[in-house]
């Protein structure tokens, strides 16, 4: 089992930056991919970014390219999402996920473990 707890969400203005954290506990994360997804009310869950825990290889979805950076701290067992130049359309619940996967990285069905999410609100 992997337990994931997100933090760092909040209310910011357009153009601001925010860093989300996801603290992982439980089984070892070696061989896992950790990812950020977001839920905008009324829309399907959207892939934001993912990273291989062991190889430090990132993948980015369209919302994140050029503005967001995913990173992990092995010593602290924590995943981060640095979000810059935030826009009103980035308003969503951001959720951390983990899975021992080798394909379908952008598909939420590939992930076995999920946090509860952290709300980000960007005012324009």
């Amino acid at each position: 089992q992997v337990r994931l707890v997100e933090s760092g969400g909040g209310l910011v203005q357009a153009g601001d930056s925010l860093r989300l954290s996801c603290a992982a506990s439980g089984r070892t994360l070696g061989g896992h991919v950790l990812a950020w997804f977001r839920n905008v009310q009324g829309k399907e869950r959207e892939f934001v970014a993912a990273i291989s825990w062991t190889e430090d290889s990132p993948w980015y979805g369209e919302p994140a390219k050029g503005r967001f950076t995913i990173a992990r701290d092995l010593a602290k067992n924590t995943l981060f999402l640095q979000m810059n130049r935030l826009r009103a359309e980035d308003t969503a619940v951001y959720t951390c996920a983990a899975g021992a996967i080798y394909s379908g990285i952008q598909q939420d069905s590939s992930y076995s473990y999920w946090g509860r999410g952290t709300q980000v609100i960007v005012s324009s």
Side-chain angles (χ1 to χ4, degrees), residues 37-89:
F37 286 82
R38 68 184 189 184
N39 281 82
V40 177
Q41 193 170 8
K43 296 185 178 180
E44 291 186 359
R45 182 179 285 162
E46 184 176 36
F47 172 77
V48 177
I51 191 166
S52 165
W53 195 255
T54 305
E55 298 176 359
D56 196 20
S57 302
W59 295 268
Y60 292 99
E62 285 303 320
K65 290 179 180 177
R67 297 188 299 130
F68 298 176
T69 302
I70 190 170
R72 86 276 193 263
D73 186 322
L74 295 178
K76 296 182 179 179
N77 247 23
T78 302
L79 179 72
F80 301 101
L81 184 69
Q82 177 67 42
M83 303 188 295
N84 298 327
R85 302 194 304 280
L86 284 162
R87 306 165 181 163
E89 52 264 40

